[in-house]
Every structure is written in C-alpha cells, then in structure tokens.
Amino acid sequence: MLHFAPSTAVFRAQLEQLWRVTAPGGTLFTRLASSEGLGHAAHWLGDRRAALPDGSQRYLVDAPFLRRETERLGARLADPLK
C-alpha cells in the first residue's frame, strides 16, 4: 500500500503508523516500488510519483530516500533496496 501514497507526507504518515504498531525488536516487512533499474521508463509526475510503463502510477523510493526514512524512524534495514 505504501506505493499508492499520493505524496511524501502521506507516505511518511503511513510508514510511521506501521512502525508504531511494530513490536519492540520486531520486524516490519514492506514491499515498495522503487526507481532502481527503471531508467527512463518512468514518467515523473512530481513528489516521487511516477506513471509506469504498465499504466499504473506509483510512489517510488530510491536507496538514499529509504535510508533516510529508516534512520528517521530509528530503525535499520535488514536488506538493501533491490
């Protein structure tokens, strides 16, 4: 659901709520749409939103953004963005 966020503010609010309900020491597993490997295939709409070749629109993260958001929550990545 995070890749359907209409803006960074909504993405952060959703992520914060998911993290808030994760048990201390627990694992939050998310599947995100990312700009990694898309090259010029995405048509950027603004605020990390893009129209993709399959006709869908997604909120796309990249590795630096994901790293910053993880640090902001006081969390750590279990795996790098792929």
Side-chain angles (χ1 to χ4, degrees):
M1 89 155 165
L2 291 170
H3 54 265
F4 293 119
S7 67
T8 297
V10 172
F11 176 89
R12 285 181 173 150
Q14 292 171 333
L15 186 60
E16 287 166 3
Q17 288 305 309
L18 290 168
W19 187 244
R20 183 184 66 78
V21 298
T22 301
T27 299
L28 171 61
F29 178 85
T30 61
R31 186 168 176 166
L32 304 167
S34 83
S35 59
E36 303 291 320
L38 280 179
H40 299 290
H43 173 73
W44 292 96
L45 304 171
D47 196 20
R48 297 193 163 273
R49 301 258 326 143
L52 301 182
D54 67 0
S56 66
Q57 292 185 10
R58 299 284 190 262
Y59 183 90
L60 302 179
V61 301
D62 58 21
F65 177 80
L66 187 58
R67 190 171 31 259
R68 284 191 306 271
E69 290 303 299
T70 301
E71 290 171 1
R72 188 176 66 80
L73 293 173
R76 68 173 180 80
L77 289 175
D79 279 326
L81 184 63
K82 299 173 183 152

